[in-house]
Amino acid sequence: MPLDGLFTHALVHEFNEHIVGGRITKVHQPYPNEIVLVIRKNSINYPVLLSAHPTYARAQITHIPYENPQTAPNFVMFLRRYLEGAILQKVVQVENDRIINFYVNSRDELGDIQEIRLTLEMMGRHSNLFLVRENDSRILELIKHVPADQNRVRSLMPGATYTLPPKQYNINPFSNSLDLLAPMILDRPTSDWLKYIQTTYQGFSRESAASLSSVLQNTGDRMINAQNWLSSFNHPKPTLFTSKNGQLRYSAIDWEQSEDSKQYFKTLGDMLDAYYIGKAERERVNQQAGSLVRIVKNELKKNTSKRKKLLATLDDAENANALKVMGDLLITYPHLVSKGMTSVDIENYYDNNNLLTIPVDPKLNGLKNAEKYFNKYRKLRTAVDYVNEQLAITDSEIDYFNTIVSQLEVASPKDVEDIRLELTTGGYIRANKKNKQKPKISKPDKFQSTDGTIIEVGKNNLQNERLSLKQPDKRFIWLHVQKLPGSHVIIHNDNPSDETLMQAAKLAAYYSKARDSANVPVDYLPVGKLRKPNGSKPGFVIFEGQQTIYVTPEADLVSQLKI
């Protein structure tokens, strides 16, 4: 089911159970349209994600790691002023709509207590997050400023009075549950139930209406069946459905989906993490890495074109001896060439006196044409060494940018900034001179094998460099997919079990260009045997004496071992 009013009802129930009464200890804005409140209750920290993303708007308790920007945005600074240290008093859904209000008591400039409301509207591209003063409904700040010429229905700017979005005046099923089905059963045929539910009752998506319609067709007391179905949203059973073609769907309750496989979760937040960890993270990476992708593609295109030209030059150089022969023949028989001729046939004494047709410049005589061929011959012969040197550099650049492409495909948002820093340091991106802060490199991803051994995975070259070349124990085992771009993987053990070695190899294969392949070769050896050539790119190492293990990547294993 999509995030409709019914699902929002279940979310609010979960919030009231877990975080109401907790203290807001931290406020972060890791992404442009998303806020994370860290709420501490009963000695447990609950990171609460409030997203006004146009596609993935939602509210949830999340455990997906995030990386904060070095400079906090203005909106989060404003929120910190009012929210940090405050107690979350209550969480309320606006009727059965996709609007949630988070209430706190805060102190104003004079020290007086005032009620502040954080309102999240989850309305697709119209989603927004407001900080509102409750006593006069004044908008103190909001995450998306919308000028009047873009929204004439209500003002969405700081200082304006907060008003709800246009109301549809449908019936709230939770306020009128006893009378929910009477008119539908008495006045309408079964075929009209789905449409009637959606148009009459508030907060029903098409999927929710279809589920209720199915419940009503069961035998027994239809009214009781409907009320039991509705009340189940007060006691959610978070369920993730996977169809035969791999498509994911989620629901707050376990409605009948016989064609799907099911996975149950303890909380709605855990289920949403499992559902969004791929989709939302990919979207965030695409947003942050858009300019990087263009730069990398341009560099690949430029170097690929350069390589073709270099290879063409080498092909010409292989024909350099033919140019020398033509020059020798022309300088031997210059009298056979007259101005105005475009070619001349000369007996080739290098080839049993067979006639050789030599193209000539009609503006030059025989000696000048011979000199022209000799000059071209000398130029090509001199260029061979230079071209081979440039070809090696170009091939290295192509391999490097193919590695960057591979890293961007599996990058999380925190990895993107590392890649941006690397490209800036390498001179591929112009440095921002205004930013004087020292860049911070994110930490590698951590995993734990089934026997408890820690495994670290570098997701970009800067992480790989630090992970592989600055480890305190050179006896740890290093792994990398063979002859393909991929992550550096470190097992924090000098004698890992076969099971841990196999799991680490599968991680190395998954975080590489071979993630969709089978029977992938992965090299492994102690960290101490790695060497970094002088002047090489970040993350580039050479080694010998490795052993090889063959594995098939498993996406499920990645999520199971992640810590």
Side-chain angles (χ1 to χ4, degrees):
M1 68 187 293
L3 203 153
D4 58 8
L6 295 169
F7 193 90
T8 303
H9 180 92
L11 280 174
V12 170
H13 184 274
E14 182 166 294
F15 288 146
N16 279 290
E17 183 178 347
H18 288 91
I19 63 174
V20 167
R23 185 181 300 276
I24 301 174
T25 59
K26 295 179 182 179
V27 183
H28 300 299
Q29 188 177 355
Y31 311 109
N33 298 318
E34 297 176 333
I35 291 294
V36 175
L37 306 177
V38 180
I39 300 177
R40 187 168 181 81
K41 182 181 178 182
N42 298 330
S43 301
I44 300 175
N45 288 332
Y46 295 93
V48 180
L49 173 68
L50 305 180
S51 174
H53 191 282
T55 306
Y56 305 115
R58 65 194 188 280
Q60 65 166 111
I61 298 171
T62 182
H63 297 289
I64 297 177
Y66 54 88
E67 192 78 10
N68 291 313
Q70 290 189 330
T71 303
N74 291 334
F75 181 62
V76 76
M77 295 298 290
F78 205 92
L79 291 183
R80 287 172 179 172
R81 174 184 169 189
Y82 286 91
L83 301 182
E84 282 193 348
I87 301 295
L88 181 63
Q89 303 293 332
K90 58 183 177 179
V91 180
V92 179
Q93 180 184 15
V94 176
E95 296 188 342
N96 197 40
D97 209 344
R98 293 168 295 169
I99 304 174
I100 304 177
N101 290 327
F102 298 82
Y103 291 89
V104 302
N105 288 336
S106 179
R107 293 190 179 274
D108 60 16
E109 294 84 354
L110 300 177
D112 297 329
I113 293 178
Q114 59 179 342
E115 190 172 36
I116 298 295
R117 184 178 84 231
L118 194 59
T119 298
L120 175 63
E121 296 180 356
M122 300 172 286
M123 306 288 184
R125 63 188 181 91
H126 299 295
S127 299
N128 216 326
L129 181 63
F130 304 81
L131 186 69
V132 181
R133 190 165 58 202
E134 182 65 14
N135 65 348
D136 58 3
S137 295
R138 180 173 175 263
I139 300 175
L140 301 175
E141 188 55 278
L142 66 168
I143 201 166
K144 297 179 187 176
H145 293 191
V146 182
D149 60 342
Q150 296 183 23
N151 190 326
R152 299 181 181 179
V153 176
R154 57 182 182 147
S155 180
L156 298 176
M157 295 293 288
T161 299
Y162 175 82
T163 57
L164 288 169
K167 193 174 181 181
Q168 296 181 346
Y169 298 102
N170 291 349
I171 300 172
N172 181 353
F174 292 99
S175 300
N176 302 272
S177 58
L178 293 178
D179 302 320
L180 175 65
L181 299 173
M184 181 171 61
I185 294 174
L186 296 175
D187 301 335
R188 281 170 175 76
T190 305
S191 59
D192 292 342
W193 285 2
L194 190 150
K195 182 177 180 181
Y196 180 77
I197 292 172
Q198 282 191 276
T199 56
T200 305
Y201 300 99
Q202 188 181 35
F204 276 83
S205 63
R206 182 176 180 84
E207 288 84 350
S208 299
S211 176
L212 179 55
S213 296
S214 176
V215 168
L216 291 171
Q217 294 175 28
N218 294 336
T219 58
D221 190 321
R222 291 177 174 177
M223 186 73 74
I224 293 177
N225 288 343
Q227 291 179 1
N228 289 340
W229 181 88
L230 193 64
S231 64
S232 64
F233 286 92
N234 292 322
H235 308 282
K237 187 177 183 180
T239 309
L240 192 63
F241 304 98
T242 305
S243 64
K244 293 180 180 179
N245 61 4
Q247 185 177 3
L248 294 177
R249 289 179 296 166
Y250 62 83
S251 174
I253 62 176
D254 180 14
W255 59 36
E256 294 301 323
Q257 300 284 335
S258 57
E259 76 281 4
D260 295 341
S261 62
K262 302 175 184 179
Q263 183 179 1
Y264 301 108
F265 293 84
K266 186 177 181 181
T267 66
L268 293 169
D270 291 342
M271 181 192 67
L272 290 174
D273 276 349
Y275 179 81
Y276 281 110
I277 192 167
K279 292 187 176 183
E281 290 292 282
R282 194 71 251 149
E283 176 71 17
R284 290 165 178 165
V285 169
N286 290 340
Q287 286 180 345
Q288 292 180 248
S291 60
L292 297 186
V293 171
R294 288 192 296 271
I295 290 168
V296 170
K297 285 184 177 179
N298 287 338
E299 290 292 335
L300 274 173
K301 183 178 179 181
K302 180 178 74 176
N303 282 284
T304 301
S305 176
K306 180 180 178 182
R307 189 176 192 277
K308 289 180 180 179
K309 292 178 181 178
L310 291 171
L311 290 175
T313 303
L314 280 181
D315 288 340
D316 290 341
E318 290 180 1
N319 298 324
N321 287 332
L323 298 175
K324 182 178 182 299
V325 169
M326 292 179 185
D328 286 342
L329 295 178
L330 287 172
I331 205 168
T332 305
Y333 305 105
H335 58 281
L336 297 179
V337 181
S338 302
K339 287 185 178 182
M341 295 176 63
T342 57
S343 64
V344 61
D345 293 328
I346 302 178
E347 291 183 354
N348 183 2
Y349 47 75
Y350 291 108
D351 186 24
N352 298 322
N353 291 328
N354 291 323
L355 287 178
L356 177 64
T357 301
I358 303 175
V360 294
D361 189 335
K363 298 178 182 178
L364 304 177
N365 60 25
L367 292 175
K368 291 293 184 182
N369 270 293
E371 184 180 351
K372 187 175 180 180
Y373 274 104
F374 285 134
N375 287 338
K376 193 172 183 180
Y377 166 75
R378 284 191 293 268
K379 183 178 180 180
L380 287 175
R381 293 303 301 171
T382 305
V384 169
D385 292 339
Y386 174 78
V387 169
N388 282 327
E389 180 184 341
Q390 288 299 307
L391 190 60
I393 294 173
T394 303
D395 285 342
S396 175
E397 289 287 285
I398 291 173
D399 290 342
Y400 173 67
F401 285 108
N402 278 328
T403 299
I404 297 293
V405 169
S406 178
Q407 290 171 353
L408 286 172
E409 289 175 354
V410 297
S412 59
K414 68 184 179 66
D415 302 320
V416 174
E417 293 308 310
D418 289 350
I419 296 173
R420 189 185 305 278
L421 172 62
E422 178 186 344
L423 294 176
T424 302
T425 305
Y428 301 105
I429 299 177
R430 185 178 297 177
N432 183 5
K433 295 182 179 179
K434 294 182 180 179
N435 188 1
K436 305 250 177 168
Q437 289 184 315
K438 186 177 180 180
K440 180 182 176 183
I441 301 174
S442 62
K443 295 181 180 179
D445 285 2
K446 278 193 175 183
F447 299 82
Q448 188 173 44
S449 69
T450 49
D451 67 6
T453 304
I454 297 298
I455 302 171
E456 287 190 282
V457 178
K459 299 284 288 301
N460 55 68
N461 289 329
L462 295 182
Q463 288 182 14
N464 288 338
E465 180 98 354
R466 175 174 291 182
L467 187 63
S468 299
L469 301 174
K470 298 182 181 180
Q471 280 291 331
D473 195 330
K474 301 299 181 184
R475 296 172 299 175
F476 287 168
I477 301 301
W478 178 89
L479 303 93
H480 193 283
V481 68
Q482 190 178 92
K483 297 179 181 179
L484 284 174
S487 294
H488 293 201
V489 176
I490 298 288
I491 301 175
H492 285 236
N493 194 312
D494 59 349
N495 187 26
S497 65
D498 291 343
E499 185 180 30
T500 294
L501 184 63
M502 181 67 70
Q503 290 173 347
K506 288 181 178 181
L507 291 175
Y510 180 82
Y511 289 106
S512 75
K513 200 79 172 176
R515 70 184 315 182
D516 296 321
S517 304
N519 206 30
V520 179
V522 176
D523 293 332
Y524 66 95
L525 73 165
V527 172
K529 292 188 176 182
L530 300 175
R531 299 290 181 268
K532 180 176 177 63
N534 292 332
S536 59
K537 299 282 188 184
F540 181 79
V541 294
I542 57 176
F543 52 88
E544 57 184 16
Q546 72 275 15
Q547 294 178 276
T548 303
I549 186 173
Y550 290 83
V551 296
T552 298
E554 297 178 14
D556 290 343
L557 182 69
V558 175
S559 58
Q560 290 172 16
L561 302 184
K562 188 81 165 61
I563 58 174

